[in-house]
Structures are given as structure tokens and as C-alpha cells.
Amino acid sequence: MRLLRSLPVAALATLSACTEEFPEPLVPLGTVPVFAVRSVSANFDDSSFAMLNADGDPIYEAWVTSGVTPVGLSGAIHSDNAMPTLEARDGSFTIIDRAGADRITRFQFPDGNVLGQMRTQVDDGSSGFSSNPQDVAFIDATHALVSRYGHNLDPAAAPLNRGTDLVEIDPTTMTLTGERVDLSGFNTTVEFEGDEGPVTLDVYARPSRMVLTPNGFVVVALEMISAGFETAIDGIVAIVDAETHAVTSHPLPGLENCGYVFPVPGAPNHVAVRCLGYYDDAPDEHAGLVILYVDPDGVVKEAASYRASEHPGEPNPTNNVVMLSTRRFVGVDHGEWDDTTDVDVAYFVDLEAGTTTPVLTAPKGTDLFGTMAYYPQNGLVLAPSRTDGLHRLRYDGTTVTYEDTIRLFPESMTVVDVGRIR
Amino acid sequence: MSHPRTTLACSFAAILVIAASGVARAQPADAAPDCVHAWGPACEAALDEAALEAEVRDPHAPADDAPERATTEAAADRDAYRATAVADAPIASTHTEDPTVSGTSIPLRDRGYAGEEIADVLPEVPGVRLTNLGAPGQFIGVRLRGGSYQQTTVLLGDLPLASPDTPFDFSLVPTWAIERVEVYRGGAPVWLGGGGIGGVVRLVPRRTRGGEADLHLAGGSFGTYQLAGGLGAASSRVATVAAIGLAGTRGDYPFVRDPTPLVPGDETIERRANGDNVRGSVLLGATVELDAGTLETLVLAVGRQGGAIGGGLSQALHARSVDRQLWSSTAFRRTGAIGERGYRLEARFGAGVARSGHHDPFGEIPPGPNATDDLAITTDTRLAGSVELAGLVELVTVAAVQTFDRRPHDSFDAIQEPASRRVRYDHALELRLHGGADVRWEVRPSARLTVSRGALRFEELNVFEDRSVDDVSPTFRVGAVVAPGSAVAIRASVHSGVRLPSLLELFGDRAGLEANPELDPEHSMGGDVGVSTCGTHRLVELSGDLTAAVDRRRDLIQLRKNGYQTAQAINVEAAWVASFELYGRLVVARHLRADLQATYLLTRTDDGFELPMQPALSAFGRVEGGTEALGAHVEDLALYVETLHVGASSTDTKNLAEIPARTIVNVGARARLFDDALSASVELADAFDVRGFDLANYPLPGRRFAVQLEYRKDL
């Protein structure tokens, strides 16, 4: 297995020794994958991506890892990274290295060419800054918007290093275009009872995940968390016109820490927003899932919701959600950390029928399941588990059933996210 | 001339002091018992075994280890050594403390290598892995035998400088305040507080060699400078030592900046920013010989102020930090005999105050903006003693109580990390059985009990709650050594160790790091076997040590994410750690000197991976050719070449990525002039500009030069 793991490195080393081609390719896959699975090492220092076909079978395990180049200032890819909520679906694969590395890397399927690697900020010489990119919304072939969670406190920072915005890139050249959508107007303050009495805290918008709707709007989830992560206020989604960059918003009263937004299969201009609640308070009181419809004018209407506070005494299945339709989703109720009695349970939730049906049970709590993915063409739902590997579920249009669990190499890596690539 | 018997007793008492603490000395006659002196032979003590054996043992002399052994440390001053020797043949060892322990001692004074820091010396010791953030004055951590920083015990004399809650930064202590550095791997001598997992690094404070004054000047690349001076004075009853120094740097060395490693050709050369700092240090020591015993006091103050260097990917430009530490120790020691049974007693009180501030208004360095003013206060009270129970049996007991109070404050935080307190009680008992004539032997079984309470006052929503975690951790060590002669000793030991969880790991920080009061201490159990040699054959002098060690570590603590935005320390891993450690020093006709250490470290977790940040192979070698006396004013002219190899190490627990190996070469020259009153040296470090990394994102400086002048005068 160690030999297998080293193959991409060896191949890369061999290729780099034999050719001056730019950029250097990874191992060719032979086919375009449908899913990518992100795993991280136990100490969260390095990461690895496996590529899977439409049935969830591995095409290449550990296809790209932090170690495909020697570690200097950083590894080839970071440990704290993510895949876009919606890939470009042009045969490319994108990795977003978040805080600390602040860059985007794109690979070409199936040959593994590196299309480019770019930073999501500039070196303006004013101060150290981490833009902390969270997501990429691919607008067209030459335009994409990158959400930047970081907020630069240096007043002398150049506009492209201010953060709390969407910054435009050209995916073909992997460069910043110089355009940005400033979202710092959502920054505000909150009164907070600190250790030394009441204080006024700055709250930053903290743009996070995004979905581009077919009618041309980028729905951006804003976490609205205080500067020192002491508390959170009600979440907001920003609606950004992909062409004009005009910004409107939709508040999410009673819901906090709303950093995730997902597309809804079969409902093109619908998105689902997931709110975790915040750990300074009883999180479930401010947790929930809201399905929004974005009309052609960019006006947002709430189509459906599941607010945990409206279901007292019941599980809160709004974590790690994957949407199946506007009224159905699979989500996780977290148990207690490391508890073998109060464990994580994944539920199939039907909002129309008002039913919540358990489909998977983890051996322990908390947060053992990662971000899931769904492939409507065959009904496959992939649910990563930190302890068990990758669960395969099947949605037949009415219910969700468990099929099997596969292990991915390296088995001892923690499988945390599954993303649909096409 | 004093009566031989009086001289013997006084010198013996003084040597005991050296063995126990190494602080300022009372008797000039005991000065410099270091035969691995940088200018000296490999092993002088063993040359005169016959003379040693001819000495008559003083029946009233107290029991002690050091004088009974011909160590590679011992007897640059032959007379002092001989005066304290006993009739038993000595036991070869590469340190002074306990011949059953695997250890290495490196004298620091008079080495004469230009611009040296402690971080430059430690790679000469087997089993040591440094983590260096780059510029002089930035954090330097030490791991021993595949352990973590927290598994390394650090002592100033015998005063603990580091606890599980505060890994020690070796960049704070300058070489001119330190007489020698001793590294004990695995189970350490009970007198120094064994029971650790990785081992002990002991910084033995500078001592006086009689009336003396010295001045040290050094400068080099990137605005690096050192300015230090020392004074020593001694009378028949009082000896004092003082050293003061200043060091600084701009720290703006060039590095290759490549934030996008998958895109070749876009690298740029930039200079490190915010690496500037100034460090100051003051050491004061005094020893007073009283009728009842010896009173010793020591004060070491160190400080640093300057830039807080961040990673190279996004360089911090404005973050600043200031660290101030004051350590003091006062000890009373008495040696004597009850009838024919020698004893020694020591009572010591030590205290330390550390204040550190970090001002990062723009949040350039993770986790974000802060303005901290953290205060840590440590006290350490120790009672120790030994007594001969019978001719070949000695009982050693050490009891210590340590308190550690930490009061963090961050004016940027609305929710403060709570103040915490740890109280720790250690008690160790050791039996020392020894004997033999032609074949000397020694067996040291010991047991230690560590009782700890970590506590904090937790305040949440204006409700105060006292939380505490208690721990009782027994450990043991059994060491044995057999010496067929003075030139060779074979030793073995089995030992267990423990590392208490830090208060941060136990109680969290009320933010992203959650509490885990159920956390178990990290444990180890293992052993080592080794052979030490110390001998001479005609013009060739050789000392060395070869050790093989293996131990099992369990309940290793790691931070694990337990939620989207939170993490928690948990016991997750168990591992085997094996190492082979070679240390050697060769002197041929006093003109050719060679030093070597090589360490092969094998670590395997239960799921088959290497422990992160632990290179398999590390090695250091130095070859030096010198003229010795050359004309009326030249004592020695020497040229040397050094090479340091640090093997590749993985950055993560699953060995996905690795920091490449690096091999650097240093070349230099040094001269001793005018009866050793003046020494001058120059060094070109990393001659091939290899640079490299100890830690991802923190590039090390490459090629650089340093020059140094030292002047010494006997007063």
C-alpha cells in the first residue's frame, strides 16, 4: 500500500526529471471521475483526494496529495482545503486551499495536467494577510468569483487584499482580474457580555460557500461571526448579480452560522442554506435548513425550511446535508463527542411527509460524517465517515437505503468530504 | 601548602557540587573538569589510570558518582581529578552524572566557533532533533529520541525550566551564560528528575575558574551580532561569577518564495521580514563555603524583543513580541560522613517568572489579532540526599514540589483564557549498588512517583466553577553498567516515563480548543544498551559511545478536530521508537581532531506510520586540523570542516508529505594567541547555500559568515 501511495510522487518525480513541460501532470486517470473524496491526516497537516466513478468505485486513490511535491513553504496542496460547491464541469477539478495557503489549483481530467495554481491575494507589502478563500463560482469560461472569508485589519491594505468579498479570477489564465465584490457592508457590531463586562464586538460578514443559479445570481452564504469568534448573529445570504456584481441580501432570522449553501437537484433556481447554530449558545436553537427560491429579478423567497427550534425533543438532522429535492434531504444529527450511546445518526428527511427516517448510525458522536454528495443520474448518495470510510446509499425517488461501505486508501486517513465533479 | 588530606576533602566536596548543580564554584582547584574540551584531548583521564589507582581512598570522603569515573568530561585539570579519585578503577562515560545513563556532555566555554548559539551545538549530540524557525532569536524547540517538545525536560542546573505547559525556547539562553550542555536520552539520572519520556537537556550555568575577565565580540551576516562579557572572582570561601550579554539580528536573510509549488518557474527570491530582534541576558552566581556546607545562589535573566516572525507564504510585517524570563535558585549543600558512611544533602528553592507579550493588531499570524500579556510563575522546592548504607550500597532520595501558575491575558479577547495552576509532587528513591576491583560494576534501581493536580477557575456566564484534574504516575528505572577497565564500559537500562497533559490540553481555551479532562498522560516503557569507551593508544585518543534504544509509547496526545470549528486533545496513538546513537571524538597527535554523531531513528505507530517531524537519519561531523604551539604567541591555528545532515521527515501522521533532507557544510578557522588570552575565529556556514526547512513555511537561512574575537585575562 505504501508503494501505491508513492506512485504519484514517483511518477511526478520521473516526469519532472524527463521533461520541462509546464505545468507538470499528475497520473493520467483514463476517464473523467464523477466524485472526488477529500481525506485529511489525523493532525490535519496534509490532505489527499481520491477519484471515484459514477458508482462510487475508486478510479485512483490518493490521486493528488500534499506530498506530490516536497514540502517547503507548503505542500503541493494544503490540509485545510475544499472543493467548489459546483465544479466548472468542463472536465477540470478545482481545489481551494483555505487559510494560510490561500490559493486555487485546477487540474485537467483525465490526463492530470495542472491547469494552474494561483493565490487569491496579492503581495502588496502592507501586512501579512490570509484571504482564506472558501469557494469558487464559475460564471463562464473566463470569469469566476472566489469568496474570501478573511478580513484584513490593515487600513493600508490594497483593495485586492481587503477580504470580506468576492474576488474575480480568470480560470483560463489563473489570475486575478482586479475586480471584486465588496461584502464588508454587511459587517456590523454586536453587544456581548465578555469576561470584563459588556463589550461591543465587530461582526464580519465572512463570505463562505456559494451557488451560481441558472438565472445568473450567485447566492453567497455569510456566516456573520464576531471578530474573535466569540459569538454569531443571524445569518444572511447575499445575492450577487453575476454580470453586474450588484448585491442584494436575504436575512435568515433566528438562524446562525449559515456558511453552507447547496444546489437543489431538479430545482434549478433553488438553493438550500444550512445553519449550524453557534457553540457559544445552545447550537440547536439556531440551527436549521432553509430552501430558497431566487426569481429572475434576484428576489429571494423561502420555499421550505426545517428549523431545529421548531422540533423540540427531536433529532436535529440539519448537519452535513445533501439535498435530494426541494423537499427531501439527507442530514446528520450529531451525538455527543466520543460518546458511544449518543451517536451521530444520518436521517432521510421528507419535509412534505413530515418524516425523519434514520439511514445510517455511526459508532460514536460527534461529526463523524462529512459533507455528502448525490448523483441524480443513478440515485447514488455518498456519505463519508471519519471512522468507517465511505458509505454508499441509494435514493430511488421515495426513500433512501444503505448499500455498502468501502474503504479508501490510505485507509487511516480521515475521509471528510465528497464532492460531485460532474 | 595545605595538608593533602584537607585538599582532598575540599576538592571532593567541590566536585560534588559540580556533579549536583554545576553552578559557580568555590575552589579554583576544581576548575574545568572537561576533558572533551574543544581544544583538549579526547580522553585525558584514562591516560593515568595507574596514578588514579594509586590514590588512597579517604575513608571520610562522601559518596558520589563523579570522582569515581574517568569520564570524557573529567580532569582537564589533572591534579584536581587525581585529588578526588578513589582507588576503584573509573568507569568510562561521555558525561558526568550517572554511568548507567545514555548521555552526552558538550562544554560550551572556550569552543571558539564564531557566532555560535546553543542551537549550533545541540546537533553534535546524538538523538537530538531541533526545530528552528529560522532567524537567530526565533523559537527553537528540542525533541529527544523521537519525542515531542513536551517530552523533553529542560533544566538550568537542576532547576526545571520547562513543564508540559511551557515548551522551552532554546534561543533565549546564550552560550556565554552556560558552562556546558548535557543531554540525557531516555531514562535520565534520578538526581536530575528522571521520569520523562524523551529525556533531559541540562544547561549547566557558567562557573568561575578563579579570578578572570573575558570579553566576547561576534558579528556576521544579516546584521547579526553578539557582545558579551564575564567576570569571575574567588577567594578561599567565596566564588562569584557574572556574565552579561547582548545579541541581535536583522534576520532579513533571503529565501526562495514559492507559494504555488505546482507551477514551476514562478519562484521569487525575497528576504525574511520581521525577523529582527534583540536579546539580552544576565547571569549572576555566587558560592559561599560555610562551616556547615555550601551555599549557592544563581540568577539568570533573559529577554527578547523584536519581530514575531510568521510563515514565509504571507510574511508578517507588524507583529511584535517581547519575552522576559527571570530564574533564580538558591541551594544549600552539605557533604559529610557519619562514621565511615558518607552522605550528601541538598535543599534548594528555585523560582521563575516569565512574561510574554505578543502584539499582532492585524492578525498577521494565526489564529488572529491579539495583544497578549501572559504571566507564568514557577516555584520549585527540592530536598535531596544520599547516604552510604554499606560499603557498596548508597541510597539516593529526591523529593520536589513544583507549582506553576499561568495567567494569560489578551486585550483583544472578550472571553479570556482562564488562569490555571498546576501543583506537582515528585519523589524518587534510588539504590546505588557498586563495586568490583578489576571489573567495576554499578546497578541503580529507582522508582519515582509523580502526583499532579491541574486546576483552573472556569467562568462562564458569570458562574465560577473550579475544575481540577488529578494524576498519579509511577515510573521506574533500572540501570546497570559494567566496566572491565577504565577504557570501556557496557551499560543497560530499562525505564518508564510519563508526560502529563498540559493544562491547555486538559481544559481547552474556551474557544476553538475544547476541554478534555479525561485525557490520560502519555506513557513510555523501554530500555537501552550501550558501550562507552575512553582510551588512548600512543598518539591516538578516542572517546565514544554507541547506544541502541527501544521503547513503546502509548496514549500519545494529538489535537483532533471534533467539529467544524473546534478541536480537542485526545489520546490517539501508540508507537514503537527505536534508535541507534553513535557519538565519537578522536584526537590524533593533538593536531587532528574529529567529532562525530550519527543517529538512526525508527518510529512506527500501530497503524504503520512514522511519527511526524522525526528524521530517520541525522548526523554531524567535524574534522579539524591544528598546528598546536607555533612560535612565541601562537598557541594553535586550526582549520575545520563541519557537515550536518538532517534526514527527510514527514509532516503529518500519515506520512503523505515530507520535508526533504538537507546536508549543509560549514568551514572555518580559529586561532588561539598570546597564551590563550586572545582567540579569533571565522566561519562560513552553509557554504553551498542549501538552506532547507525544519518546519514547513519557515525557511532557514542559507550561506552566511561570522567572525568572532574573544579576550580573556586572569585576574
Side-chain angles (χ1 to χ4, degrees):
Chain A
M1 290 298 268
R2 289 177 67 81
L3 179 63
L4 272 176
R5 180 168 58 84
S6 63
L7 279 177
V9 182
L12 191 64
T14 306
L15 286 165
S16 63
C18 298
T19 174
E20 291 299 314
E21 277 184 25
F22 165 78
E24 296 173 348
L26 295 178
V27 173
L29 291 173
T31 182
V32 178
V34 171
F35 297 101
V37 182
R38 172 177 169 258
S39 303
V40 296
S41 58
N43 60 354
F44 286 82
D45 272 1
D46 292 307
S47 63
S48 166
F49 285 83
M51 296 296 148
L52 278 56
N53 65 18
D55 294 321
D57 295 324
I59 301 170
Y60 205 105
E61 302 175 12
W63 182 61
V64 56
T65 75
S66 299
V68 296
T69 59
V71 174
L73 292 182
S74 71
I77 57 172
H78 201 30
S79 55
D80 177 18
N81 48 24
M83 294 170 272
T85 301
L86 283 173
E87 261 292 1
R89 300 193 180 173
D90 59 357
S92 66
F93 173 61
T94 305
I95 294 175
I96 304 152
D97 285 337
R98 295 185 287 206
D102 310 296
R103 65 191 172 201
I104 291 169
T105 310
R106 300 188 72 216
F107 304 91
Q108 182 67 51
F109 290 132
D111 55 19
N113 279 331
V114 179
L115 293 172
Q117 187 171 47
M118 64 169 288
R119 296 206 85 200
T120 55
Q121 58 196 64
V122 294
D123 294 318
D124 67 346
S126 61
S127 61
F129 170 60
S130 173
S131 53
N132 195 359
Q134 297 291 305
D135 206 349
V136 183
F138 292 94
I139 310 299
D140 57 38
T142 56
H143 296 87
L145 292 171
V146 177
S147 56
R148 302 197 302 179
Y149 193 93
H151 181 79
N152 199 335
L153 292 164
D154 184 357
L160 282 176
N161 268 9
R162 287 185 186 157
T164 313
D165 58 12
L166 309 183
V167 69
E168 190 180 72
I169 66 169
D170 181 341
T172 57
T173 59
M174 292 295 276
T175 53
L176 293 164
T177 66
E179 294 290 318
R180 67 187 280 267
V181 181
D182 186 4
L183 299 175
S184 64
F186 292 102
N187 293 352
T188 183
T189 59
V190 64
E191 295 302 310
F192 182 75
E193 186 65 30
D195 285 347
E196 295 161 355
V199 290
T200 301
L201 300 177
D202 289 327
V203 173
Y204 300 143
R206 302 190 187 274
S208 190
R209 305 289 278 176
M210 305 184 287
V211 168
L212 172 67
T213 61
N215 56 13
F217 294 96
V218 180
V219 181
V220 186
L222 306 180
E223 287 193 346
M224 306 303 296
I225 296 176
S226 64
F229 292 90
E230 297 92 346
T231 189
I233 64 171
D234 286 352
I236 297 174
V237 289
I239 315 300
V240 178
D241 187 308
E243 191 173 320
T244 66
H245 293 179
V247 180
T248 59
S249 66
H250 179 80
L252 299 165
L255 297 173
E256 294 178 353
N257 198 5
C258 304
Y260 278 79
V261 56
F262 313 98
V264 179
N269 294 310
H270 288 71
V271 298
V273 182
R274 185 188 107 191
C275 305
L276 294 169
Y278 206 64
Y279 66 88
D280 66 322
D281 204 346
D284 285 356
E285 289 182 14
H286 302 285
L289 184 77
V290 180
I291 293 101
L292 303 175
Y293 168 68
V294 184
D295 76 10
D297 297 323
V299 177
V300 174
K301 294 170 185 153
E302 191 170 306
S305 70
Y306 186 103
R307 285 177 160 81
S309 60
E310 295 171 357
H311 301 268
E314 295 180 27
N316 168 24
T318 60
N319 299 289
N320 312 97
V321 164
V322 60
M323 297 303 297
L324 307 176
S325 71
T326 54
R327 297 293 185 273
R328 290 172 179 164
F329 65 91
V330 176
V332 176
D333 176 48
H334 286 161
E336 285 296 317
W337 163 252
D338 212 29
D339 193 323
T340 54
T341 55
D342 187 3
V343 302
D344 287 3
V345 179
Y347 291 92
F348 168 56
V349 181
D350 187 334
L351 294 176
E352 211 161 54
T355 56
T356 302
T357 311
V359 292
L360 274 175
T361 301
K364 290 181 180 179
T366 282
D367 208 16
L368 295 178
F369 293 111
T371 303
M372 305 183 203
Y374 170 54
Y375 192 50
Q377 283 86 334
N378 61 8
L380 182 65
V381 176
L382 292 178
S385 163
R386 295 186 180 201
T387 49
D388 298 332
L390 191 62
H391 300 298
R392 286 195 277 209
L393 313 173
R394 193 75 63 176
Y395 174 54
D396 62 6
T398 56
T399 188
V400 173
T401 52
Y402 168 78
E403 288 190 342
D404 61 1
T405 302
I406 60 171
R407 305 291 300 195
L408 289 171
F409 175 81
E411 288 190 9
S412 50
M413 294 281 285
T414 306
V415 177
V416 286
D417 292 316
V418 182
R420 209 181 99 207
I421 297 170
R422 64 183 175 95
Chain B
M1 188 176 173
S2 60
H3 191 278
R5 188 161 170 139
T6 308
T7 305
L8 181 66
C10 288
S11 298
F12 204 161
I15 288 282
L16 283 173
V17 171
I18 296 171
S21 75
V23 190
R25 300 295 163 222
Q27 298 295 327
D30 79 334
D34 306 321
C35 91
V36 253
H37 189 289
W39 299 100
C43 181
E44 192 161 348
L47 302 177
D48 209 359
E49 187 179 334
L52 293 172
E53 290 177 346
E55 295 290 341
V56 178
R57 180 173 184 158
D58 178 356
H60 300 294
D64 188 73
D65 317 332
E68 296 190 28
R69 280 176 275 125
T71 71
T72 53
E73 284 288 290
D77 181 334
R78 184 84 59 87
D79 292 337
Y81 185 88
R82 185 179 296 155
T84 59
V86 294
D88 298 329
I91 297 176
S93 178
T94 47
H95 58 88
T96 59
E97 197 61 35
D98 175 347
T100 69
V101 170
S102 168
T104 307
S105 177
I106 305 283
L108 295 188
R109 284 186 75 186
D110 308 324
R111 277 168 61 92
Y113 296 110
E116 214 171 39
E117 305 255 352
I118 286 182
D120 300 313
V121 179
L122 284 169
E124 298 180 21
V125 179
V128 170
R129 158 71 167 156
L130 289 184
T131 304
N132 189 342
L133 295 192
Q138 303 295 342
F139 177 84
I140 294 169
V142 171
R143 305 159 187 257
L144 298 176
R145 266 194 188 164
S148 62
Y149 304 137
Q150 292 100 325
Q151 292 172 349
T152 302
T153 301
V154 184
L155 304 175
L156 177 69
D158 52 12
L159 177 69
L161 294 180
S163 77
D165 305 293
T166 54
F168 187 71
D169 179 357
F170 281 80
S171 74
L172 284 170
V173 181
T175 53
W176 50 81
I178 302 301
E179 192 71 30
R180 64 180 184 275
V181 57
E182 299 172 356
V183 178
Y184 301 100
R185 300 174 288 276
V190 72
W191 193 260
L192 297 181
I197 291 179
V200 171
V201 178
R202 184 192 194 197
L203 305 172
V204 179
R206 174 174 167 156
R207 65 176 189 269
T208 186
R209 298 173 181 175
E212 61 174 347
D214 57 64
L215 187 65
H216 169 107
L217 291 168
S221 304
F222 320 123
T224 301
Y225 63 88
Q226 297 173 340
L227 171 62
L231 276 174
S235 66
S236 60
R237 283 187 170 265
V238 179
T240 59
V241 65
I244 185 167
L246 198 65
T249 184
R250 287 196 316 271
D252 58 345
Y253 56 89
F255 70 104
V256 177
R257 185 160 177 275
D258 182 16
T260 53
L262 282 171
V263 180
D266 64 345
E267 305 86 353
T268 55
I269 303 294
E270 294 189 11
R271 286 191 171 271
R272 284 300 261 148
N274 218 31
D276 63 291
N277 62 75
V278 177
R279 288 168 287 158
S281 61
V282 176
L283 173 81
L284 298 171
T287 304
V288 182
E289 290 294 336
L290 306 171
D291 291 339
T294 303
L295 185 66
E296 258 181 25
T297 186
L298 169 79
V299 176
L300 175 65
V302 294
R304 173 183 53 203
Q305 184 168 333
I309 202 164
L313 276 174
S314 293
Q315 296 209 73
L317 302 178
H318 305 284
R320 310 295 287 176
S321 66
V322 56
D323 294 281
R324 288 153 288 175
Q325 298 187 5
L326 177 69
W327 300 92
S328 70
S329 170
T330 300
F332 175 77
R333 298 189 176 90
R334 178 184 173 88
T335 57
I338 303 169
E340 292 191 352
R341 293 178 182 177
Y343 69 86
R344 57 177 170 166
L345 292 172
E346 180 194 84
R348 185 194 27 75
F349 176 75
V353 179
R355 190 154 205 160
S356 65
H358 182 75
H359 187 63
D360 183 8
F362 299 150
E364 296 179 290
I365 298 174
N370 57 27
T372 64
D373 183 10
D374 297 345
L375 178 67
I377 300 173
T378 307
T379 67
D380 189 81
T381 307
R382 185 171 114 135
L383 288 171
S386 68
V387 60
E388 282 185 327
L389 299 179
L392 301 178
V393 183
E394 182 182 2
L395 176 68
V396 180
T397 179
V398 180
V401 178
Q402 189 178 45
T403 66
F404 179 76
D405 288 274
R406 182 167 179 268
R407 300 169 198 168
H409 187 269
D410 185 345
S411 57
F412 268 75
D413 277 353
I415 303 172
Q416 295 294 326
E417 188 183 331
S420 57
R421 178 179 176 84
R422 185 194 290 276
V423 179
R424 173 177 166 149
Y425 173 74
D426 283 276
H427 195 177
L429 280 173
E430 180 186 71
L431 271 181
R432 175 173 172 251
L433 314 170
H434 60 104
D438 293 336
V439 178
R440 294 274 294 126
W441 59 269
E442 195 165 315
V443 179
R444 294 187 181 221
S446 66
R448 170 180 297 272
L449 188 67
T450 300
V451 181
S452 167
R453 163 165 286 199
L456 56 69
R457 167 156 276 208
F458 203 89
E459 186 264 327
E460 193 165 52
L461 303 176
N462 293 321
V463 176
F464 287 92
E465 180 189 347
D466 290 315
R467 297 184 182 178
S468 65
V469 173
D470 298 331
D471 184 77
V472 178
S473 299
T475 53
F476 75 93
R477 180 175 185 278
V478 180
V481 62
V482 176
S486 64
V488 177
I490 300 161
R491 65 172 193 284
S493 76
V494 292
H495 48 259
S496 65
V498 64
R499 196 277 280 186
L500 298 173
S502 72
L503 296 175
L504 193 65
E505 291 165 336
L506 286 170
F507 299 118
D509 64 356
R510 299 179 69 191
L513 183 62
E514 293 190 349
N516 184 4
E518 304 299 318
L519 208 54
D520 289 325
E522 296 179 329
H523 291 93
S524 73
M525 185 173 293
D528 56 24
V529 293
V531 57
S532 296
T533 182
C534 184
T536 184
H537 180 70
R538 296 184 180 172
L539 296 177
V540 178
E541 300 163 25
L542 174 69
S543 69
D545 186 272
L546 179 64
T547 300
V550 63
D551 67 87
R552 170 78 175 160
R553 296 179 190 174
R554 56 189 175 82
D555 300 321
L556 296 178
I557 297 170
Q558 281 183 1
L559 286 183
R560 289 281 174 93
K561 263 190 164 178
N562 66 346
Y564 175 60
Q565 287 158 323
T566 57
Q568 193 175 42
I570 55 175
N571 299 104
V572 288
E573 216 155 39
W576 287 98
V577 177
S579 62
F580 301 91
E581 299 151 356
L582 172 66
Y583 174 77
R585 162 163 265 253
L586 175 72
V587 177
V588 180
R590 293 185 177 264
H591 292 290
L592 179 66
R593 302 179 276 264
D595 296 276
L596 171 71
Q597 80 84 7
T599 303
Y600 184 75
L601 181 72
L602 187 64
T603 64
R604 280 290 178 276
T605 60
D606 281 1
D607 48 3
F609 295 94
E610 298 168 8
L611 290 172
M613 308 303 295
Q614 304 290 355
L617 178 65
S618 58
F620 173 86
R622 179 193 299 120
V623 177
E624 183 172 44
T627 61
E628 287 292 319
L630 195 70
H633 302 300
V634 177
E635 310 306 320
D636 192 27
L637 283 177
L639 296 172
Y640 63 88
V641 178
E642 295 174 345
T643 183
L644 170 69
H645 175 82
V646 179
S649 60
S650 63
T651 59
D652 64 274
T653 51
K654 301 310 171 197
N655 306 159
L656 271 183
E658 67 178 24
I659 294 174
R662 70 177 191 276
T663 303
I664 65 168
V665 174
N666 308 327
V667 294
R670 31 181 214 166
R672 288 186 294 137
L673 309 168
F674 306 110
D675 289 333
D676 287 343
L678 184 67
S679 68
S681 56
V682 59
E683 180 173 289
L684 179 66
D686 193 5
F688 298 106
D689 207 18
V690 171
R691 305 180 188 183
F693 294 82
D694 279 338
L695 191 67
N697 207 10
Y698 287 88
L700 298 172
R703 183 165 44 229
R704 58 203 181 274
F705 75 93
V707 295
Q708 178 173 299
L709 279 176
E710 286 183 319
Y711 175 73
R712 180 188 308 129
K713 183 172 176 56
D714 292 333
L715 301 177

